[in-house]
Amino acid sequence: MLNLKKEPIGKLISQLHRQNQKFLAKEMLPYGIGSGGQHSFLKLILNQPGITQDQMTNEMKFDKATTARSVKQLEESGYIERKTDPSDRRSSLLYPTPKALEFAPVLQSVLAELNRKLTVGLTAEEADQLVNLLQKINRNSAKL
């Protein structure tokens, strides 16, 4: 029997996402990094220098327009630079600038603080289990 008293998983995830975005927007504002997942795109470029926009779109599961907007804003803010892909002149490879490399520890610290706040009251085992379960749910959602 369906239990209508339990909150839907999607609703809970959506609420968590909105709260995360609020926190990150406030923390990133002093550094000129806007909302819309710009920090996620920057983190990906820091971890995979030379990635293309198409690769980022596929990996992050954003639409092409969102990726293009975020890349443009990060470039205008001086965090990333484009270099023409020698194997495909129509494509650009994205690299972090010295400004981004200097900012990387700050970004990591903000993300770690967010995770710490989200897992207050959980044991290390519960936090690990939560991540594992969310990863399973994420994989399931990709099949929808």
Side-chain angles (χ1 to χ4, degrees):
M1 176 151 183
L2 181 64
N3 184 349
L4 295 177
K5 292 183 181 180
K6 279 195 168 193
E7 292 197 71
I9 293 169
K11 177 183 176 187
L12 293 170
I13 290 171
S14 180
Q15 289 172 339
L16 281 168
H17 176 70
R18 285 194 302 275
Q19 292 300 327
N20 278 353
Q21 291 308 101
K22 277 192 216 175
F23 175 84
L24 290 169
K26 182 181 73 162
E27 296 295 315
M28 296 290 124
L29 189 62
Y31 304 100
I33 295 179
S35 58
Q38 284 184 28
H39 68 281
S40 297
F41 287 104
L42 180 56
K43 185 176 177 190
L44 185 56
I45 294 166
L46 284 162
N47 288 330
Q48 296 181 41
I51 193 168
T52 67
Q53 276 187 218
D54 281 343
Q55 289 168 328
M56 287 182 23
T57 297
N58 292 335
E59 188 158 328
M60 306 259 309
K61 310 294 188 252
F62 280 100
D63 58 68
K64 287 184 177 196
T66 300
T67 303
R69 252 190 322 276
S70 290
V71 165
K72 182 179 181 199
Q73 290 167 338
L74 287 169
E75 187 177 29
E76 288 173 355
S77 299
Y79 286 102
I80 65 169
E81 61 183 348
R82 299 172 198 254
K83 295 183 181 172
T84 304
D85 184 346
S87 62
D88 180 358
R89 312 281 304 151
R90 297 166 296 162
S91 183
S92 293
L93 305 176
L94 305 172
Y95 291 93
T97 62
K99 179 179 180 178
L101 296 172
E102 185 178 314
F103 176 68
V106 175
L107 176 59
Q108 192 56 47
S109 173
V110 168
L111 295 174
E113 177 65 8
L114 176 57
N115 279 344
R116 188 195 65 72
K117 288 180 180 223
L118 289 172
T119 57
V120 165
L122 298 181
T123 65
E125 293 78 20
E126 288 171 330
D128 286 343
Q129 183 181 21
L130 175 62
V131 169
N132 289 332
L133 292 172
L134 288 170
Q135 286 172 336
K136 283 182 181 180
I137 290 171
N138 192 31
R139 285 190 297 274
N140 291 341
S141 75
K143 299 173 190 169
L144 297 177

